[in-house]
Amino acid sequence: MSFAIALCDEQWELVADHFDPPGRRGAPAVIPRRQMVDAILFIGRTGCQWRYLPERYGAWTAVWAQWRRWRSNGVWERAMTRLAAIVRVLHEREPVPSMVMVDAQTVRGGRYGPTFHEAGGPGGRAIGTKRTLLVEILGLPVAAGACSARPHDVVAARELLRERLPGFARLRAIVGDRAYRGLAKLAARKHIALDIKAPPAGVSGFVPIRPLYRIEHAFAQLGRWRRLSRCYEGTQASARAWLEVASVSYLAWRAVA
């Protein structure tokens, strides 16, 4: 399976109003918004530096400035939510999930200069970023977060859940592995069931746990993006936004596959 660097017409129509809202004020765009979206997808998929963006996408400084505005305005997050709802409806499910799975991934940093990266992960040896995903039963990422690698997985998950729970009106259960037992108080306050999964007793090595293997699959699919091979970002906002960019492309593919 592969994801296109550019959105096709059908995929673009699903999210066009987020990136190019009707009635937008100001001077007409020099570079079409769809072209800018494709440029950002190109950078995320190939991992190239901004200044090496091919000329067919326009001036890299203009695309970079628009990227910062979309990042600050939460446009990628809203597009991600829209596409996840569309895919769920196509599978004859409610747009908003009633259950989400949570897991985290620690990624080494690859940036020289000021950054938010800190040591963490297994043994505290990885200096980089902790990425947290919320994934529903179909394996669709519905929320993404990023912070330094230092906090425990449950701390990062708690912050993401506190932010996103208001948007999950139907949520009745959170599923995670044993690292997320610390979410019990939050789940109790929100009247949400916390289901902790563990491998069978006496079994060593990696064991797929249903349904948590779906979130591992989501991380694997997003890991195909070279921009995510390490964390090259200087801020948590950028680290989170690139995870959302990759999720948007993956969800767009699922919406028309």
Side-chain angles (χ1 to χ4, degrees):
M1 179 173 58
S2 62
F3 311 131
I5 291 177
L7 297 180
C8 68
D9 292 342
E10 186 177 357
Q11 292 168 334
W12 171 249
E13 289 300 324
L14 297 176
V15 293
D17 59 319
H18 285 309
F19 296 100
D20 193 11
R24 183 179 60 86
R25 297 182 178 181
V30 176
I31 303 176
R33 292 293 184 262
R34 180 174 178 178
Q35 185 173 317
M36 287 191 170
V37 170
D38 291 343
I40 293 170
L41 294 178
F42 177 88
I43 288 177
R45 192 74 169 96
T46 64
C48 80
Q49 297 180 22
W50 282 104
R51 65 182 63 252
Y52 297 129
L53 184 69
E55 293 182 0
R56 67 178 180 271
Y57 293 114
W60 73 266
T61 51
V63 179
W64 176 76
Q66 186 62 54
W67 147 258
R68 294 188 63 188
R69 287 191 287 271
W70 283 337
R71 180 196 65 188
S72 301
N73 295 334
V75 172
W76 293 100
E77 177 186 321
R78 293 195 294 273
M80 182 177 168
T81 301
R82 163 83 62 81
L83 289 168
I86 290 172
V87 177
R88 284 182 56 83
V89 170
L90 290 175
H91 286 80
E92 300 181 352
R93 294 178 178 269
E94 293 292 328
V96 179
S98 60
M99 181 275 285
V100 295
M101 297 167 280
V102 59
D103 203 357
Q105 177 190 66
T106 300
V107 183
R108 291 187 179 275
R111 177 182 175 84
Y112 295 96
T115 183
F116 67 98
H117 299 163
E118 295 180 294
R125 295 185 295 270
I127 300 177
T129 301
K130 186 182 300 294
R131 296 169 180 159
T132 304
L133 277 184
L134 299 183
V135 174
E136 50 83 83
I137 192 62
L138 298 176
L140 310 175
V142 294
C147 61
S148 76
R150 182 181 297 276
H152 190 274
D153 289 2
V154 74
V155 175
R158 188 181 296 121
E159 293 181 359
L160 180 59
L161 285 166
R162 283 173 177 167
E163 175 188 345
R164 297 305 303 274
L165 278 179
F168 296 136
R170 297 183 62 252
L171 192 64
R172 297 293 179 268
I174 300 172
V175 181
D177 59 27
R178 289 174 293 185
Y180 294 97
R181 288 174 291 189
L183 294 176
K185 291 184 178 180
L186 173 64
R189 287 198 304 271
K190 300 296 184 179
H191 306 290
I192 298 172
L194 179 63
D195 188 2
I196 300 299
K197 302 293 186 181
V203 177
S204 60
F206 174 74
V207 179
I209 304 175
R210 187 182 298 270
L212 292 180
Y213 68 85
R214 295 183 183 275
I215 199 168
E216 300 294 344
H217 180 265
F219 270 121
Q221 296 303 319
L222 300 182
R224 294 168 175 243
W225 286 61
R226 290 186 64 86
R227 186 80 183 198
L228 299 181
S229 60
R230 290 200 174 196
C231 185
Y232 299 98
E233 316 312 320
T235 65
Q236 295 184 35
S238 289
R240 172 175 175 167
W242 280 115
L243 193 57
E244 292 169 347
V245 169
S247 297
V248 165
S249 178
Y250 174 59
L251 292 167
W253 178 85
R254 291 284 299 266
V256 300

